[in-house]
Amino acid sequence: MVLLKSFVLAGLTAVVAAKSAVLDLIPSNFDEVVLKSGKPTLVEFFAPWCGHCKTLAPVYEELAQVFEFSKDVQIAKVDADAERALGKRFGVQGFPTLKWFDGKSDKPTEYNGGRDLEALTAFITEKTGIKSKKKLAPPSSVAYLTDATFKKTIGGDKHVLVAFTAPWCGHCKSLVPTWESLANTFANEPNVVIAKVDAEAENSKATANEYGVTSYPTIKFFPKGSTTPEEYSGGRSEENFVTFLNEQAGTRRAAGGGVDATAGTFAVLDEIVTKYIGGTPLTDAATEVKKAAEGLKEDAQYKYAEYYMRVFDKLSKSDNFAAKELARLEGILKKGGLAPTKLDELTSKTNILRKFVEKITGKDEL
């Protein structure tokens, strides 16, 4: 008897523990809970059979838990397949549909933002001023494109790599961490966009159809200035993607973040450094670098061509400038804590300085 009682109590505890933080709405309580409570409420109209609804479910539950501490905002849902009258009342035509009720009006506004926890949390904070107490992951650097934003993103001054995915696709799920890391790696490249299209979402499947996407994930590359894509058929590691984009976009990124060992350097200027180390007078080398740099003014990395000129100028005042400056910058990099842009800049400068130091070392050894 005691054993049975313990079993029943354990079962009840499990039920309580599993209770959802999302409010369930039906016709008999909708007006009371949403329209007459005076509390802003985000309402999801869903259908149990809907794949996108199933994908959203854990995120939506977590969202409700994030704001459960507050008595001034509500996260709720309606089974609009079972309660069709409610769906019809608020103009629901597809699933899931998210609508925001401000607590004052019975006329909601439709939510059209991202369906990740960060985007939903930011939306509620913007609307209510209520901040999440939960530490969220940093926002994604992936551009999530829809039919409305796709054409605005491609064909301009940016190279765009797009993954067409489906929520149920196992390979797409496996790609997620790589794609997020790739987007972070290129976050500081103004001319490169790492994007994603949900090929089965109502607001983006027309784009997938237009580009003949029939399997997932399908990855396409749109060079800047072009609306005609190239099919990507290479490997799916971050290293593979970085190598591909560096070749296509002329970038110097390294997998995992930062720039590679060639960033900031120019072969034509390195040749002059080599000649200087080999015996060309400093003033002649400096003049030659300045002349060669003129032809690089249209390059996105031109500021580093200017850095070559600065190094030659400093060398005219101190023979040890390159070695000392390299040691100083390497010390700063070793300490860490730098903003990504500053990290890229200092790494590129050390790449340039190393050309001078390596050449000098090689000459001394001779």
Side-chain angles (χ1 to χ4, degrees), residues 5-314:
K5 184 178 180 180
S6 299
F7 178 78
V8 172
L9 287 174
L12 289 173
T13 301
V15 171
V16 172
K19 182 180 177 182
S20 173
V22 180
L23 301 176
D24 283 302
L25 302 175
I26 56 177
S28 62
N29 71 0
F30 190 96
D31 287 9
E32 196 69 31
V33 174
V34 179
L35 302 182
K36 297 179 181 179
S37 67
K39 297 180 181 180
T41 308
L42 183 66
V43 180
E44 176 199 5
F45 293 84
F46 74 98
W49 46 260
C50 163
H52 293 296
C53 301
K54 293 176 182 177
T55 300
L56 178 62
V59 176
Y60 203 65
E61 179 63 41
E62 192 172 357
L63 178 71
Q65 292 171 2
V66 165
F67 288 99
E68 194 173 18
F69 74 92
S70 175
K71 302 299 181 183
D72 299 316
V73 66
Q74 302 178 132
I75 309 299
K77 68 180 188 292
V78 173
D79 181 345
D81 191 47
E83 310 296 349
R84 297 187 180 186
L86 275 178
K88 184 177 181 181
R89 177 181 174 186
F90 294 105
V92 174
Q93 297 180 331
F95 306 119
T97 291
L98 296 173
K99 290 185 179 284
W100 175 253
F101 294 80
D102 62 10
K104 301 173 184 178
S105 170
D106 61 354
K107 306 295 183 186
T109 56
E110 190 150 337
Y111 172 80
N112 291 309
R115 292 179 183 171
D116 56 281
L117 181 61
E118 290 73 23
L120 289 163
T121 300
F123 171 78
I124 290 178
T125 298
E126 179 186 349
K127 290 292 186 180
T128 65
I130 302 169
K131 295 182 178 180
S132 163
K133 290 185 177 180
K134 180 177 180 180
K135 186 176 180 181
L136 300 175
S140 173
S141 296
V142 176
Y144 290 86
L145 304 180
T146 64
D147 296 334
T149 60
F150 193 89
K151 291 294 176 63
K152 297 176 182 178
T153 304
I154 65 169
D157 59 354
K158 301 178 189 298
H159 299 279
V160 186
L161 187 65
V162 186
F164 292 85
T165 64
W168 48 263
C169 163
H171 292 297
C172 300
K173 292 175 183 178
S174 298
L175 181 65
V176 169
T178 300
W179 210 245
E180 289 290 338
S181 182
L182 181 67
N184 289 333
T185 294
F186 281 87
N188 284 336
E189 291 292 344
N191 298 323
V192 176
V193 176
I194 307 302
K196 185 181 284 188
V197 171
D198 182 343
E200 294 196 345
E202 290 298 325
N203 64 352
S204 53
K205 65 182 181 181
T207 295
N209 290 336
E210 180 180 347
Y211 287 98
V213 175
T214 57
S215 61
Y216 312 115
T218 290
I219 300 171
K220 293 179 182 289
F221 176 71
F222 292 80
K224 68 177 181 180
S226 175
T227 57
T228 302
E230 300 173 12
E231 196 85 14
Y232 175 82
S233 56
R236 291 183 182 174
S237 69
E238 184 179 355
E239 290 77 7
N240 294 144
F241 290 125
V242 169
T243 298
F244 173 80
L245 285 169
N246 282 342
E247 291 173 352
Q248 298 294 323
T251 50
R252 310 278 186 90
R253 287 286 149 188
V259 290
D260 65 19
T262 69
T265 64
F266 294 90
V268 64
L269 302 184
D270 290 340
E271 289 177 9
I272 299 171
V273 173
T274 300
K275 288 194 289 184
Y276 160 64
I277 299 304
T280 297
L282 176 64
T283 53
D284 291 350
T287 299
E288 195 173 345
V289 161
K290 186 174 182 180
K291 182 178 180 181
E294 285 291 318
L296 301 171
K297 282 190 174 181
E298 298 302 315
D299 194 290
Q301 298 296 302
Y302 174 68
K303 66 179 181 179
Y304 294 115
E306 292 180 311
Y307 190 68
Y308 277 84
M309 291 187 276
R310 180 168 177 248
V311 173
F312 272 108
D313 180 60
K314 291 290 185 179

